[in-house]
Amino acid sequence: MKDIRVVVPNQYSYAISTSTNTPLTATGIDSLVQILVKAIKTTPGRDVFAPDYGMGIKYLLPPASAAVEEQKAKSQVGKGLMKIEEEIKTNQESLPLTPDQKLDKLELVDVIFNADQGLWDVSVQVTSVSGTSVVVGVSV
């Protein structure tokens, strides 16, 4: 069974998860971004076959923002990214993936509270083994 593409680039060059577009086969870096977005949004304990899998970003970030909370949020998200980076690399070792589909590194770009929308905007740079890089935006 092939993966279904669940990310699309928008006008800001972010890849944002979506369920409103026509499903397409995920290839190259899109496949890697799909895996990353799933790992970021999955709360540990939700997958009975891999209870430790995921970052659970919704529960890492406070409901409101203040200067102190933004620094704490960046720290929490950074720790979570280190965890899922290791999980993704471990899971991809046994899979027949192309260099574009294999994760080399994740880097936290920014965590900002959008007061107008009441959401946290998290930006992560994803770099594949082939050197292809994309910034992924997730709003929570």
Side-chain angles (χ1 to χ4, degrees):
M1 183 172 166
K2 293 184 178 183
D3 286 336
I4 297 175
R5 182 177 176 179
V6 294
V7 296
V8 293
N10 70 13
Q11 69 268 27
Y12 304 109
S13 298
Y14 290 93
I16 299 175
S17 62
T18 180
S19 62
T20 59
N21 293 333
T22 304
L24 302 170
T25 302
T27 58
I29 192 90
D30 286 344
S31 179
L32 179 56
V33 169
Q34 175 176 289
I35 291 166
L36 172 68
V37 171
K38 181 182 177 207
I40 286 173
K41 290 188 171 192
T42 299
T43 302
R46 299 286 293 175
D47 186 341
V48 293
F49 298 106
D52 294 330
Y53 177 78
M55 181 172 160
I57 193 167
K58 183 176 181 179
Y59 300 102
L60 290 179
L61 298 172
S65 175
V68 174
E69 290 184 11
E70 276 198 19
Q71 286 296 14
K72 183 179 177 183
K74 286 179 184 179
S75 175
Q76 293 289 77
V77 172
K79 288 178 191 175
L81 285 176
M82 290 188 325
K83 176 186 180 284
I84 62 172
E85 179 178 13
E86 189 60 37
E87 290 174 350
I88 292 170
K89 285 181 176 181
T90 301
N91 290 341
Q92 71 189 13
E93 286 176 359
S94 61
L95 300 174
L97 302 172
T98 65
D100 267 348
Q101 295 172 318
K102 287 189 176 184
L103 179 64
D104 181 37
K105 64 182 174 179
L106 295 176
E107 295 178 64
L108 179 61
V109 175
D110 212 351
V111 178
I112 299 171
F113 185 74
N114 184 332
D116 294 337
Q117 295 181 349
L119 296 172
W120 287 94
D121 293 324
V122 178
S123 302
V124 179
Q125 183 168 348
V126 182
T127 306
S128 69
V129 171
S130 70
T132 305
S133 185
V134 66
V135 175
V136 178
V138 178
S139 293
V140 181

